[in-house]
């Protein structure tokens, strides 16, 4: 069951924090004039039967007055001790997309892989790396992504310059990747390679969580 997680109550809850208001679109050509924060839950993408895939999380994407974008992500129940690629997905110029559910499994193999999710969440607008480049070029730079702790808790926060992310902060989906299907504590090739590159295991790129303003 997928639910709309941006609610009137959630919007109201932002007010005591001094946030100017989440309804301000970032497409007026001058997004730095206002602070706009978008908070939403992250929901599991895969079928419940997929091992180690039922995580949960939350995220806030904030467009700051200084022209930077701040992203916070927390997740619970993701693969412990492993890095998790995370991106802002969407399309430029403000078209709202959404998140895939299990029905996105077009080829019926029981897994929603990255390309099956793209029609729902769009391409990569920014890579939520811990340091360095935040463009799509860093999509699979696993040495620069947040690592979940031994309990499968992941916490990420970064403020960075990324014009595309800033301009589309109100329509992006946050997607967290990485599922340790066989529970061996590593991303390995037992389930095969990623459809994105033979150099990466499928386990490393499978979407685990998704959430956004549009779903
Ligand atoms: Ca599939
Ligand atoms: Ca594994
Ligand atoms: Cu992604």
């Amino acid at each position: 069951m997928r639910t709309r997680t941006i609610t009137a109550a959630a919007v109201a809850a932002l007010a005591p924090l001094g946030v100017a208001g989440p309804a301000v679109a970032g497409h007026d050509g001058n997004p730095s004039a206002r602070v706009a924060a978008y908070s939403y839950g992250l929901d599991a993408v895969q079928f419940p039967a997929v091992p180690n895939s039922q995580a949960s999380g939350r995220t806030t994407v904030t467009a700051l007055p200084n022209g930077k974008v701040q992203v916070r992500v927390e997740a619970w129940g993701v693969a412990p001790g492993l890095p998790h690629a995370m991106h802002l997905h969407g399309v430029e110029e403000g078209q709202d997309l959404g998140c895939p559910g299990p029905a996105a499994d077009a080829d019926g193999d029981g897994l929603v892989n990255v390309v099956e999710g793209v029609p729902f969440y769009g391409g990569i607008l920014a890579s939520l790396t811990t340091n360095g480049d935040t463009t799509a070029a860093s999509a699979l730079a696993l040495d620069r992504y947040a690592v979940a702790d031994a309990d499968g808790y992941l916490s990420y926060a970064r403020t960075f310059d990324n014009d595309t992310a800033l301009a589309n902060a109100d329509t992006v989906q946050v997607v967290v990747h990485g599922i340790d299907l066989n529970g061996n504590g590593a991303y390995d090739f037992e389930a095969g390679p990623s459809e994105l590159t033979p150099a990466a295991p499928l386990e490393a790129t499978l979407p685990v969580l998704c959430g956004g303003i549009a779903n």
Side-chain angles (χ1 to χ4, degrees), residues 87 89 175 177:
H87 316 109
H89 283 255
V175 181
H177 300 263

Side-chain angles (χ1 to χ4, degrees), residues 14-166:
L14 295 170
L17 302 176
V19 175
V24 179
H27 305 290
D28 58 4
N30 188 19
S32 63
R34 303 179 185 93
V35 173
Y38 308 92
S39 296
Y40 27 82
L42 298 173
D43 295 323
V45 172
Q46 306 291 335
F47 289 100
V50 174
N52 307 314
S53 70
Q54 298 303 291
S56 63
R58 65 189 179 199
T59 184
T60 301
V61 179
T62 305
L64 295 169
N66 62 3
K68 296 177 185 290
V69 61
Q70 178 188 69
V71 180
R72 297 178 181 277
V73 177
E74 272 190 302
W76 294 265
V78 295
L82 294 177
H84 290 270
M86 298 184 287
H87 316 109
L88 302 183
H89 283 255
V91 292
E92 296 188 45
E93 303 305 331
Q95 177 189 352
D96 286 357
L97 296 176
C99 286
D105 176 25
D107 67 359
D109 71 348
L111 297 168
V112 177
N113 63 15
V114 171
V115 297
E116 287 173 331
V118 166
F120 296 83
Y121 48 57
I124 293 172
L125 299 184
S127 294
L128 301 178
T129 54
T130 53
N131 61 83
D133 175 64
T134 62
T135 72
S138 295
L140 295 177
L142 284 180
D143 59 331
R144 289 189 290 116
Y145 282 104
V147 177
D149 73 11
D151 296 320
Y153 171 72
L154 180 149
S155 178
Y156 170 83
R158 187 177 175 191
T159 300
F160 52 90
D161 290 302
N162 185 306
D163 291 342
T164 303
L166 184 71

